[in-house]
Amino acid sequence: MTFNKYRSLLAAGAIALLSACTTEVDDFVTAGGSSSDGTPVDYTTYVALGNSLTAGVSDGAWLSSSQVNSYPQLIANSLQEAGLGAKDFKQPLISYSGAQYFGTPIVLTNQGPCFTCTQTVNPTSNIYSEHGGFHNMAVSGMKAIDVNDPTLATGLYGYFVSSAGSTVLKDALSMNPTFFSMWLGANDVLGFANSGGALGPNAITPQADFETAINSVLDSMGNRGAKGAILNVPDITEAALFNTTPNTLEKMLAANNMELTEDFLVLVNGYLASAFDPIIKAQVEVGRPTVTALITPSIPSAAGTINVVAAAVSTAPSIGKDPSVSAELAYTVIFLQLTSGGMTPTDAMTFLATEAGQTQIAQLVALGIDQSWATMTGTDEEVNTIINSSIESTTATLKAAGYYPVFSLESNQLPVYDAASPTMMRVPAEGTLVSLLALNKALLLGELILTGGDLDITKLKDYLPVIDTTKGTYEFLEKGDVDDVKTAIDGYNSYLKEEASSRDLAYVDTKSVMSEAHNGGIIIDGVTYTTTYLSGNLFSLDGAHLTQRGYAVIGNYTIQAINAKYGAKIPQIQQNDFPVVETTVVPTPAAAN
């Protein structure tokens, strides 16, 4: 498996911001601008609040190398360069601890991204007394509703919290900010989206709770006369994290420079049939002796010897069952078998109400039991007809339920692993997204399909995305959950936009820019920036956070919004000066813990 193959399979979509236009970095005379009432904007003390995107997280970890180029630091550099403020802007530098990173960085090897090639490092001390306070009050993983939560200090915030019981907002306000930026809300939906949606342990932050948290930040800043910029919440379902691993057969083929055609559909559906049909046939054939016994006459009656089903048809009304209903006829058949074996009617009914009894009923229904069996005599032809019909109906039922994939040009969503499915797989609703974490599985599945290898359904976890809460494995997001995330983001952003307008704050519409980024890019100083994973210059190896150059792009969009809102002239960041994903390394794999 080559690195080039990884690059060919990584589709567009990402968590950051760019616009489908060309931007030039112009020379101009700097100016701070003024608020709507004519008061000059004061940048003396700039404070940033946010999550990992504000902290400068990259490649799946809080890296010292990317932290120093976080977007707030770059904005502070521009303000300092212009002589407008942000002097002595301070961040809780990882380097103060002697470490190079906190977390578990992803690295790029000649086999593609490696998620397990580095050791996890966590902070073990607090640096506030020696180095605090801090202007960049961003905490990786922080939700908007966490800004006033002192328990946040049990995590990364403990590295730079001012004191026990303090909060991010309190520590930010202790710096006496005159200007601020706020980029909160992504984690209020990301935790839900990145942990299996409704199938996982996390929930989306309710709109009312989000508004309360944001209002507390904005009120606190407004009470001090601070102006600032609000960055809204990008649609995380459009991120590379959820749009790199193909979720449809068509995208899987496109990643291999192939087109989905009717001829290919015949081949792939035939391939799946060759795997599933023998299994279904074998499972139904298990019921052949049962069918033979039920339709072979064996019970004496006034009309002669009849079969068990005929006896059940005549008995059903006496126990309150309708023999024209398959499940009730099956109930009666088993009832007769139990009572003829010595069980009392009461005990037989009690058993039939249990899970074991219901399973036996379901098995007869699956075989297709109905009143027509009452007239049969147990010939091979009759039994074969029943078995073949059951195979056809079972196959149709599995296909209709999505347990047996059948691809078409119009509908070719790839299946996910489902332990509750009879086939251990399920085709989810179209629009279900697959995480970057399942990329290797997609590669294996693609190779299996394209080479016609043996599909072992006992090893489907090796090929299909999984949600396993017991192991903390979350590799896909159901369509309904995708819709819930989008609805929540729209609600958050509607509130953020209203607050920015009513409070005279700059507003950075990252969501709209993100959507445009799906179909375009931006050219700056002759360099094209796209949302393509690995090669688009913007996004780091985790598919959700930015490269250092990507953070420079964010800084520029924020500066543009500030300039437009207040009539300021803050110099733009020379974003092409910053590094991207460009180096292939082959590290020694991390030792097992």
Side-chain angles (χ1 to χ4, degrees):
M1 188 183 308
T2 65
F3 175 61
N4 285 335
K5 185 164 187 180
Y6 266 93
R7 298 176 79 96
S8 73
L9 277 174
L10 303 176
I15 187 80
L17 322 163
L18 63 156
S19 68
C21 62
T22 300
T23 298
E24 299 296 336
V25 179
D26 301 320
D27 295 326
F28 54 86
V29 178
T30 61
S34 58
S35 58
S36 60
D37 63 5
T39 303
V41 178
D42 184 357
Y43 303 95
T44 302
T45 306
Y46 164 45
V47 169
L49 292 99
N51 48 48
S52 53
L53 294 171
T54 301
V57 169
S58 191
D59 295 340
W62 198 13
L63 306 175
S64 178
S65 58
S66 60
Q67 180 189 30
V68 296
N69 290 321
S70 66
Y71 93 84
Q73 180 66 67
L74 298 181
I75 291 175
N77 293 348
S78 289
L79 292 171
Q80 293 167 13
E81 175 189 339
L84 295 174
K87 184 180 180 180
D88 299 324
F89 184 85
K90 294 176 65 177
Q91 299 193 101
L93 297 177
I94 298 166
S95 59
Y96 291 150
S97 71
Q100 295 181 339
Y101 61 82
F102 291 143
T104 311
I106 304 166
V107 294
L108 192 60
T109 76
N110 60 354
Q111 294 295 306
C114 179
F115 295 83
T116 58
C117 289
T118 57
Q119 297 285 355
T120 299
V121 176
N122 293 311
T124 58
S125 61
N126 179 276
I127 61 171
Y128 190 90
S129 61
E130 184 176 357
H131 301 285
F134 302 107
H135 298 91
N136 189 347
M137 291 302 300
V139 181
S140 183
M142 183 172 74
K143 300 179 180 180
I145 56 174
D146 293 332
V147 293
N148 293 305
D149 184 1
T151 66
L152 195 65
T154 59
L156 277 177
Y157 181 41
Y159 178 61
F160 60 100
V161 64
S162 63
S163 60
S166 192
T167 67
V168 169
L169 183 55
K170 284 181 182 178
D171 284 353
L173 296 175
S174 73
M175 303 302 292
N176 298 313
T178 62
F179 192 84
F180 73 98
S181 63
M182 182 187 72
W183 196 6
L184 290 168
N187 283 329
D188 292 82
V189 289
L190 182 59
F192 172 83
N194 206 26
S195 59
L199 298 176
N202 295 317
I204 295 173
T205 298
Q207 179 74 20
D209 294 344
F210 177 82
E211 292 184 6
T212 297
I214 295 298
N215 193 57
S216 70
V217 174
L218 299 181
D219 278 352
S220 297
M221 294 296 176
N223 290 340
R224 288 161 174 75
K227 292 302 177 184
I230 296 175
L231 290 76
N232 75 357
V233 184
D235 187 345
I236 60 172
T237 67
E238 294 179 341
L241 179 64
F242 292 110
N243 287 272
T244 296
T245 305
N247 64 339
T248 66
L249 181 62
E250 185 173 11
K251 290 179 181 178
M252 177 179 285
L253 293 176
N256 285 275
N257 298 314
M258 296 176 65
E259 183 180 354
L260 181 61
T261 64
E262 291 287 1
D263 288 342
F264 185 84
L265 286 171
V266 171
L267 291 175
V268 72
N269 286 331
Y271 168 72
L272 291 173
S274 68
F276 283 110
D277 288 354
I279 296 173
I280 294 171
K281 184 176 187 299
Q283 291 175 341
V284 173
E285 281 288 349
V286 171
R288 180 178 288 273
T290 298
V291 170
T292 301
L294 291 180
I295 66 173
T296 299
S298 60
I299 301 174
S301 72
T305 304
I306 61 175
N307 64 31
V308 175
V309 178
V313 170
S314 62
T315 303
S318 67
I319 59 172
K321 300 299 178 183
D322 182 352
S324 67
V325 177
S326 181
E328 296 191 18
L329 179 58
Y331 179 103
T332 308
V333 166
I334 300 170
F335 174 84
L336 288 176
Q337 291 174 327
L338 294 173
T339 54
S340 65
M343 188 177 288
T344 67
T346 299
D347 288 344
M349 292 180 178
T350 298
F351 169 77
L352 286 167
T354 66
E355 182 177 354
Q358 291 296 306
T359 297
Q360 290 187 20
I361 292 171
Q363 289 170 344
L364 289 183
V365 171
L367 286 170
I369 189 171
D370 63 28
Q371 292 183 95
S372 67
W373 289 19
T375 60
M376 294 183 181
T377 59
T379 66
D380 288 344
E381 182 179 357
E382 291 172 333
V383 174
N384 288 337
T385 298
I386 290 173
I387 294 299
N388 291 335
S389 177
S390 179
I391 291 171
E392 291 178 6
S393 64
T394 299
T395 301
T397 298
L398 292 174
K399 289 179 177 180
Y403 299 144
Y404 182 141
V406 178
F407 298 116
S408 67
L409 292 176
E410 298 76 23
S411 179
N412 50 86
Q413 181 83 31
L414 290 171
V416 298
Y417 181 82
D418 187 342
S421 161
T423 61
M424 309 302 284
M425 69 164 64
R426 170 175 57 86
V427 179
E430 291 187 28
T432 292
L433 302 177
V434 182
S435 168
L436 178 65
L437 298 177
L439 178 59
N440 283 339
K441 292 182 176 182
L443 290 168
L444 293 174
L445 181 63
E447 291 178 354
L448 193 68
I449 291 175
L450 294 176
T451 61
D454 292 335
L455 178 60
D456 184 349
I457 67 168
T458 66
K459 298 180 179 180
L460 288 178
K461 278 189 175 182
D462 295 338
Y463 305 107
L464 302 179
V466 173
I467 289 179
D468 187 342
T469 57
T470 64
K471 295 183 178 180
T473 303
Y474 308 105
E475 296 177 339
F476 64 92
L477 186 65
E478 299 273 8
K479 175 60 166 62
D481 294 329
V482 172
D483 292 342
D484 288 344
V485 167
K486 290 178 179 292
T487 297
I489 291 173
D490 287 343
Y492 295 168
N493 287 343
S494 178
Y495 177 73
L496 293 174
K497 185 175 183 179
E498 291 173 2
E499 291 301 303
S501 177
S502 65
R503 295 173 186 265
D504 194 27
L505 301 172
Y507 182 70
V508 187
D509 188 1
T510 67
K511 181 178 183 295
S512 293
V513 177
M514 162 76 91
S515 296
E516 293 176 8
H518 271 296
N519 299 311
I522 181 171
I523 301 174
I524 303 174
D525 293 341
V527 176
T528 300
Y529 295 83
T530 73
T531 59
T532 304
Y533 184 59
L534 293 183
S535 63
N537 296 320
L538 284 170
F539 304 106
S540 73
L541 297 175
D542 59 34
H545 298 96
L546 307 182
T547 62
Q548 293 178 52
R549 191 178 297 182
Y551 285 120
V553 171
I554 298 302
N556 271 340
Y557 275 107
T558 305
I559 288 172
Q560 290 169 14
I562 293 168
N563 287 345
K565 179 64 179 179
Y566 299 118
K569 290 189 176 180
I570 302 169
Q572 296 252 300
I573 301 159
Q574 298 296 323
Q575 46 208 356
N576 290 349
D577 293 344
F578 296 90
V580 297
V581 175
E582 58 186 359
T583 302
T584 300
V585 294
V586 187
T588 300
N593 292 325

